[in-house]
Amino acid sequence: MYPPVDPVIFEWGPLSLRWYGLLMITAILVGAFVASYQVKRWGGDSEKLWDMLTWILIPGFIGARLYYVLIQSPPEQARDYLANPVSIIKIWDGGIHIFGGFIFGAIALWLYSKVNKLPALLYLDAIALALPLSQAIGRWGNFINQELYGPPTNLPWGLRIDPQHRIPPYNDLEAYPESTRFHPLFLYESLWNFLGFFLILWLSRRFSKRLKQGDILLMYLIWYPGGRFFIEFVRTDSWFFPGTPFNLVHILCFIAVVTSVVLLLRRDRAVVEIKDKKRGNN
C-alpha cells in the first residue's frame, strides 16, 4: 500500500492546498449534512446546527491541537513545541487529537445550546451519529501524510513509509530497510468508523421508538473508544506510561466505555419500568 499522491495538491505563491486539509473539510461537510438531516428528521431546527458549526469547530480544533501538543506528544517533542510556539498552529503538518476536539467541542456545543435555549442532547445525538463517518473520511489524510502507522508487518496490506516520515527506531534503515512495511492503523480506524456509522444508524432506525435523547451519543461513546482502546496498543507515535503498554488514551477510552454502558443500561431499564407501570395501570 503506497501513498498515491503528493500531500500538496497545488501551490500558488506562499499558499498551498493540501490533501490533508481538503479531506478534513470534506469530512466536516459530509458529517454536517448527515447531522443536519437527522436533526430535521427528529423534528429539530437543522439550520441551528449549521449556525453552531463554527462555534463548535474552532474550539474543537484548538482543543485537538492542544491535546496533541501538551499530552499526546512525547515530552521532548512537547518541549520543542513550547520552545517554538509558532509550530503549534501548523495543523496542516498533522498532529491533532480527537479527544481534545471532543472535550472542547462538547463544551462549546453545550454553551451554545444553553445561550440559545436548544435541546443539547438532540444535537449531540445527531453529531454523534455523523461523527464516525467524518472520522472515517478524515483518517485518509493520515495515509497521504504517511502518519498513524503501526509496527512492521508482513501482511499484504502493509504500508510503505518513506524514511523522512519514520520515527525512531524505524528510521534506522539498516534495521528497517525501505522495503519494510508497517501496519496501516489509519485504515483500521477508518474501517472501524465506517462500520460504526452504519451500525449506529441501523440501531437508531430499528429502535427509534425506544431510544431516548442522548442514547445515540452513548452508543458512539461505546463504539469508538472501544475500538480505539485496542488500536492504541500498536501505536508507534504515542507516549506510554513507563514500563507499561498503556497510555492516557487507554484510561480515557476505558472510562468512556464503562460510563456509557452503565448509563445506557440504566436509561434502558428506566424505559422498560415505565412501560411496565403503564401496562399495569391499564
Side-chain angles (χ1 to χ4, degrees), residues 5 11 22 28 44 63 74 81 100 111 120 153 159 183 207 233 237 251:
V5 292
E11 292 181 314
L22 182 61
I28 291 168
Y81 279 121
L111 290 173
T153 179
L159 179 69
H183 277 285
F207 301 101
F233 284 114
D237 59 346
I251 296 174

Side-chain angles (χ1 to χ4, degrees), residues 33-208:
F33 275 110
V34 172
S36 66
Y37 173 79
Q38 291 300 323
V39 168
K40 184 176 181 179
R41 189 172 180 272
W42 294 332
D45 187 350
S46 61
E47 293 299 323
K48 290 295 184 181
L49 186 134
W50 291 99
D51 292 341
M52 72 170 61
L53 195 59
T54 302
W55 297 95
I56 298 173
L57 288 177
I58 293 176
F61 272 113
I62 293 173
R65 184 58 174 173
L66 290 178
Y67 185 104
Y68 177 84
V69 169
L70 300 176
I71 299 176
Q72 177 71 11
S73 301
E76 60 276 8
Q77 187 177 354
R79 286 194 292 268
D80 291 341
Y81 279 121
L82 295 177
N84 182 23
V86 175
S87 64
I88 295 177
I89 66 174
K90 295 181 178 180
I91 62 172
W92 53 85
D93 287 336
I96 58 176
H97 200 286
I98 194 167
F99 280 20
F102 285 164
I103 296 169
F104 278 58
I107 293 173
L109 187 149
W110 181 81
L111 290 173
Y112 184 93
S113 299
K114 285 293 183 181
V115 171
N116 292 275
K117 299 180 180 179
L118 298 172
L121 286 179
L122 184 144
Y123 290 92
L124 282 170
D125 272 346
I127 292 172
L129 182 101
L131 197 52
L133 182 59
S134 294
Q135 290 175 263
I137 296 170
R139 276 303 179 197
W140 285 86
N142 300 126
F143 171 56
I144 293 174
N145 279 1
Q146 299 190 55
E147 55 193 10
L148 191 56
Y149 54 88
T153 179
N154 292 321
L155 293 171
W157 54 81
L159 179 69
R160 183 180 72 84
I161 301 296
D162 292 332
Q164 65 268 28
H165 294 291
R166 295 187 185 185
I167 61 175
Y170 306 119
N171 55 355
D172 182 353
L173 297 184
E174 292 187 5
Y176 304 96
E178 290 195 44
S179 59
T180 304
R181 298 294 183 267
F182 300 85
H183 277 285
L185 298 191
F186 83 91
L187 178 63
Y188 301 159
E189 188 168 326
S190 181
L191 293 175
W192 180 256
N193 283 319
F194 270 125
L195 181 59
F197 168 71
F198 290 110
L199 177 61
I200 296 173
L201 178 62
W202 178 79
L203 290 172
S204 70
R205 302 292 176 85
R206 176 68 176 80
F207 301 101
S208 59

Side-chain angles (χ1 to χ4, degrees), residues 12-34:
W12 185 46
L15 303 177
S16 63
L17 177 63
R18 295 172 177 265
W19 280 108
Y20 187 90
L22 182 61
L23 284 166
M24 291 294 290
I25 293 172
T26 301
I28 291 168
L29 290 176
V30 169
F33 275 110
V34 172

Side-chain angles (χ1 to χ4, degrees), residues 42 119-123 125 211-218 267:
W42 294 332
L121 286 179
L122 184 144
Y123 290 92
D125 272 346
L211 295 177
K212 299 168 61 178
Q213 285 188 8
D215 283 351
I216 292 176
L217 173 63
L218 293 175
R267 288 160 65 93

